[in-house]
Amino acid sequence: MDFTADLPVVQIRRTVMRRALLSTAIPPRVALAMGQEPLLLRYTIGLFGYGLIGCAVTDAESCLQRLAQQPHGLLVCSDSLERGDVLSLTATAKERYPALKVIVISTGPCPEQALVRAAWIDGLVAECDMTFHSGALQAAVLAALGGCHFRSASMRNQPMPEPISELSPRDYQILEGLADGLTDREIAERLMISPNTAKSYTKRLLQNMGARNRLQALVIALRQGLIRLR
């Protein structure tokens, strides 16, 4: 197929997203975290251009470091990172910067249930929906900037998994710590909170999940797709 005549559409979408970012109260700066360098370059050059990009990385740790150095208004990441987990990255970023808008691109045939359940993810886009004419990523960005949640076309007909409860970004961080075999004190060190606070968070998490102990919470989380073993 020949798309040459349609190339101006890319420039129009880029202009629309730029204007939308500049018209909001959030910082007009985009952070990109893509696990593959070709994917990163594609979105940097093709969809956003260099002017708005303040962060272009392939791993979670580098992304959080960049976000800490200067304010960003939009985080766009793929569900596969070179290092780190996208669920933990987005939860941590959203907790630290509540105004940050988060878009995740699902590169597989269907998104993980944990991503679908994550209420802090403003836009979830299947890469298969990002055809030349669809404008799926642009729609996700505009919806997020407008305060709405977005799911791309192929996801809308899929049954949404029933959540076991409304888990917060902090709950997911505690779950990640439990999955890594950390004690409350070690979780506290990772999250830079007090041991007593970590203990309270763990107790609240078990209550929210209806679990009697840590092991049962992990089993429930694995069955529900809330976490994955690394």
Side-chain angles (χ1 to χ4, degrees), residues 10 13 18 20 27 36 46 66 69 89 92 95 97 116 125 131 136 140 143 148 156 169 179 196 219 222 230:
V10 176
R13 288 176 182 161
R18 180 182 181 86
Q36 302 174 4
R66 289 288 183 179
Q69 290 173 3
L89 166 61
T92 301
E95 182 189 36
Y97 316 105
V116 176
V125 183
T131 62
C148 301
R156 296 171 195 159
N196 286 337
V219 171
L222 287 169
R230 295 192 289 270

Side-chain angles (χ1 to χ4, degrees), residues 1-21:
M1 298 179 68
D2 186 352
F3 295 103
T4 307
D6 297 316
L7 288 176
V9 172
V10 176
Q11 181 61 41
I12 292 173
R13 288 176 182 161
R14 185 190 301 175
T15 301
V16 169
M17 288 192 290
R18 180 182 181 86
R19 288 176 178 172
L21 265 173

Side-chain angles (χ1 to χ4, degrees), residues 100-216:
L100 181 71
K101 303 299 182 181
V102 176
I103 308 293
V104 174
I105 298 170
S106 174
T107 56
C110 58
E112 294 184 21
Q113 291 187 351
L115 290 175
V116 176
R117 284 193 176 94
W120 64 86
I121 294 178
D122 301 288
L124 188 56
V125 183
E127 191 175 29
C128 63
D129 292 332
M130 296 174 62
T131 62
F132 196 90
H133 295 290
S134 71
L137 182 58
Q138 178 201 21
V141 171
L142 295 179
L145 294 177
C148 301
H149 281 74
F150 179 91
R151 299 293 181 266
S152 64
S154 65
M155 301 178 187
R156 296 171 195 159
N157 296 327
Q158 298 177 7
M160 295 287 283
E162 288 294 329
I164 56 173
S165 63
E166 188 68 27
L167 298 183
S168 68
R170 180 65 85 188
D171 289 328
Y172 278 96
Q173 290 176 326
I174 298 297
L175 266 179
E176 291 288 341
L178 297 183
D180 289 339
L182 302 184
T183 65
D184 285 336
R185 182 171 295 279
E186 290 169 333
I187 291 174
E189 292 175 355
R190 173 185 286 186
L191 301 181
M192 293 182 290
I193 56 179
S194 72
N196 286 337
T197 300
K199 185 176 180 180
S200 296
Y201 281 139
T202 301
K203 182 178 179 181
R204 186 188 67 183
L205 172 66
L206 298 184
Q207 291 173 343
N208 288 343
M209 298 183 69
R212 293 187 299 273
N213 52 50
R214 291 166 173 248
L215 180 58
Q216 188 179 35

Side-chain angles (χ1 to χ4, degrees), residues 44-66:
T44 301
I45 299 172
L47 288 175
F48 291 101
Y50 292 115
L52 293 177
I53 305 298
C55 166
V57 301
T58 58
D59 66 284
E61 183 179 356
S62 297
C63 182
L64 292 174
Q65 289 175 352
R66 289 288 183 179

Side-chain angles (χ1 to χ4, degrees), residues 66-107:
R66 289 288 183 179
L67 292 178
Q69 290 173 3
Q70 55 183 345
H72 288 70
L74 178 66
L75 169 61
V76 181
C77 49
S78 66
D79 59 355
S80 177
L81 299 174
E82 190 175 67
R83 292 186 306 277
D85 180 78
V86 68
L87 198 65
S88 179
L89 166 61
T90 54
T92 301
K94 196 74 170 184
E95 182 189 36
R96 294 179 182 176
Y97 316 105
L100 181 71
K101 303 299 182 181
V102 176
I103 308 293
V104 174
I105 298 170
S106 174
T107 56

